[in-house]
């Protein structure tokens, strides 16, 4: 333990030596002209993995989501998503600001929404109502405690979208975590969606970058949209090289993060200030504190012992495991967390 165990987010990872070497060696070109060979390779690789036609490398997952929302819709349309969705809660009202959309927020279960719930919330064609245009899922769900969808339910939702003529978007910031849990191939899952956003800078450990996947026509429009969002980058192959390295080396390690999250849960169960913990399916542990303790104070108690966590509302805290949380870090947490009060 080098003094600090940083469990605030899986975005805090620093590029490893191997990753930095891959970045140094990257062949680059101007990606606004689509001439960066390393970016093209990353886009093609992810597209083919997920049974999609094309990809677009962007600076952030917020941008890939926001571009997808814009390309799927017209101003005044409505998007159906969970009330816990990142696209609604954590993207600075982007869907309203960038694309003039309204959101139909569903209660769901730990950030997951069901086909029957979606069907009950599709607006009639009557001109009073916003036009329901898109269903957006998040897998895994961040605010839902890293919960994963059942594949059967997603297939049902896909069937509904086809029947009702709705677009189907996946915020797959952590889709590789979900695939790891389901032991599922990216192609089997990816083929269900019209567009997919994938983050390289979360559990995969790259410093920057997300990729949007979709049909060739969709990505052509997305390329226009990316320019107007200011997301056209030039010799960004150095960043894409980190993504390629992550796909090759780090996807296989996600299961370790999941085991470590379960160990954190066990330690938290032994702490007297913790009321309830969402059972971690992946690398995210969200827990509620007992009345009388608030999240800011609890995080301060942790911080005094060199453990960083994130307040997630007034009485909830989030911990996230990732590549830079090593065995000795978890052992240190196991030693310290039960006794904190
Ligand atoms: C992190 C995250 C994103 C993208 O966030 P950026 O910080 O913009 O890359 C999108 N969706 C979910 C569920 C996330 O956790």
């Amino acid at each position: 333990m080098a003094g600090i165990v940083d469990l605030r987010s899986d975005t805090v990872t620093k590029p490893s030596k191997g990753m930095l070497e891959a970045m140094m060696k990257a062949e680059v070109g101007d990606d606004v002209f689509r001439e960066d060979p390393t970016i093209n390779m990353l886009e093609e690789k992810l597209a083919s993995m997920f049974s999609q036609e094309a990809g677009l490398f962007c600076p952030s997952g917020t941008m890939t989501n926001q571009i997808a929302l814009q390309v799927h819709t017209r101003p005044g349309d409505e998007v159906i998503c969970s009330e816990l969705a990142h696209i609604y809660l954590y993207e600075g009202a982007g869907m309203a600001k960038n694309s003039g959309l309204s959101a139909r927020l569903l209660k769901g279960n730990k950030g997951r929404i069901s086909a029957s719930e979606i069907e009950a919330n599709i607006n009639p064609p009557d001109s009073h109502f916003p036009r329901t245009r898109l269903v957006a899922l998040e897998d895994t769900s961040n605010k839902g405690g890293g919960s994963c969808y059942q594949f059967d339910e997603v297939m049902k939702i896909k069937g509904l979208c086809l029947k009702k003529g709705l677009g189907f978007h996946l915020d797959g910031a952590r889709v590789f975590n979900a695939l790891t849990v389901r032991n599922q191939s990216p192609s089997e899952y990816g083929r269900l969606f019209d567009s997919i956003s994938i983050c390289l800078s979360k559990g995969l450990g790259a410093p920057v970058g997300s990729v949007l996947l979709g049909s060739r026509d969709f990505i052509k429009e997305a390329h226009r949209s990316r320019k107007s969002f200011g997301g056209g980058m030039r010799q960004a192959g150095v960043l894409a090289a980190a993504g390629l390295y992550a796909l090759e080396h780090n996807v296989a390690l996600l299961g370790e993060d999941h085991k470590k999250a379960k160990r954190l849960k066990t330690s938290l169960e032994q702490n007297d200030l913790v009321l309830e913990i969402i059972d971690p399916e992946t690398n995210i542990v969200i827990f509620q504190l007992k009345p009388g303790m608030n999240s800011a104070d609890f995080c301060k108690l942790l911080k005094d012992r060199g453990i960083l966590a994130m307040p997630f509302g007034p009485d909830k805290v989030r911990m996230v495991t990732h590549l830079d949380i090593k065995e000795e870090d978890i052992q240190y947490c196991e030693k310290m967390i039960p006794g904190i009060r």
Side-chain angles (χ1 to χ4, degrees):
M1 217 257 321
I4 294 283
V5 181
D6 194 345
L7 297 165
R8 288 172 302 163
S9 172
D10 47 7
T11 55
V12 301
T13 54
K14 304 212 168 106
S16 64
K17 192 155 172 287
M19 184 178 276
L20 287 169
E21 277 165 12
M23 295 170 76
M24 295 275 286
K25 287 194 212 124
E27 257 190 78
V28 297
D30 189 326
D31 182 50
V32 174
F33 302 154
R34 308 301 265 145
E35 285 173 5
D36 188 296
T38 310
I39 291 179
N40 292 342
M41 200 188 302
L42 173 67
E43 291 169 346
E44 282 160 25
K45 182 174 173 134
L46 272 169
S48 83
M49 276 174 91
F50 282 85
S51 301
Q52 296 281 340
E53 286 176 0
L56 188 70
F57 185 61
C58 294
S60 73
T62 298
M63 192 183 285
T64 44
N65 278 332
Q66 290 299 320
I67 290 173
L69 293 171
Q70 186 160 81
V71 174
H72 280 298
T73 60
R74 288 193 309 190
D77 285 353
E78 189 157 272
V79 177
I80 296 182
C81 62
S82 157
E83 64 181 11
L84 303 184
H86 194 280
I87 56 168
Y88 172 71
L89 282 180
Y90 299 128
E91 298 188 4
M95 72 163 90
K97 241 166 126 172
N98 301 321
S99 304
L101 304 175
S102 70
R104 185 69 152 257
L105 302 176
L106 307 187
K107 261 255 155 313
N109 167 18
K110 291 196 249 176
R112 295 163 302 200
I113 55 179
S114 67
S116 58
E117 219 181 348
I118 294 166
E119 187 157 24
N121 282 279
I122 296 171
N123 287 331
D126 180 321
S127 64
H128 286 84
F129 300 101
R131 184 173 52 171
T132 306
R133 184 68 205 104
L134 183 72
V135 173
L137 305 188
E138 187 175 313
D139 195 18
T140 71
S141 161
N142 176 2
K143 185 113 197 207
S147 60
C148 307
Y149 273 88
Q150 297 284 334
F151 184 56
D152 285 358
E153 192 62 37
V154 182
M155 286 201 294
K156 264 195 229 164
I157 298 171
K158 170 66 180 176
L160 179 65
C161 289
L162 283 174
K163 194 171 97 190
K164 302 285 183 180
L166 304 177
F168 195 23
H169 174 70
L170 174 66
D171 179 353
R174 296 185 180 82
V175 67
F176 282 106
N177 296 81
L179 295 172
T180 299
V181 168
R182 290 194 294 265
N183 196 16
Q184 184 176 34
S185 72
S187 68
E188 183 184 31
Y189 195 45
R191 70 177 81 245
L192 297 186
F193 297 94
D194 298 316
S195 57
I196 307 176
S197 159
I198 299 172
C199 287
L200 302 161
S201 60
K202 300 270 166 83
L204 297 185
V208 181
S210 289
V211 176
L212 179 62
L213 304 176
S215 69
R216 239 178 288 287
D217 286 345
F218 179 89
I219 293 298
K220 209 166 143 203
E221 279 308 302
H223 187 242
R224 294 187 74 84
S225 185
R226 184 183 71 172
K227 193 76 188 101
S228 67
F229 278 119
M233 298 185 286
R234 303 296 179 174
Q235 288 73 25
V238 286
L239 302 174
L244 283 165
Y245 181 93
L247 291 176
E248 198 167 318
H249 296 89
N250 297 343
V251 172
L253 305 176
L254 292 171
E256 293 305 310
D257 296 346
H258 301 175
K259 285 184 202 152
K260 292 189 174 98
K262 289 192 168 51
R263 287 167 66 183
L264 286 176
K265 184 203 174 204
T266 303
S267 297
L268 288 161
E269 278 169 344
Q270 298 163 43
N271 184 295
D272 285 344
L273 300 172
V274 174
L275 180 67
E276 201 180 357
I277 309 162
I278 302 180
D279 195 25
E281 293 175 40
T282 53
N283 67 328
I284 299 177
V285 190
I286 295 177
F287 53 96
Q288 185 160 6
L289 298 162
K290 286 189 181 155
M293 177 48 63
N294 68 62
S295 54
D297 287 347
F298 190 79
C299 288
K300 175 75 170 53
L301 290 172
L302 287 167
K303 193 175 177 187
D304 291 343
R305 289 151 180 91
I307 300 169
L308 304 184
M310 187 127 99
F312 230 46
D315 60 353
K316 288 198 178 84
V317 176
R318 187 185 76 167
M319 290 179 168
V320 188
T321 57
H322 51 77
L323 267 181
D324 291 355
I325 297 296
K326 306 296 182 201
E327 172 60 28
E328 60 266 32
D329 298 320
I330 288 295
Q331 285 177 9
Y332 176 77
C333 290
E334 288 175 326
K335 195 168 77 175
M336 299 306 292
I337 288 175
I340 289 176
R341 51 195 49 117

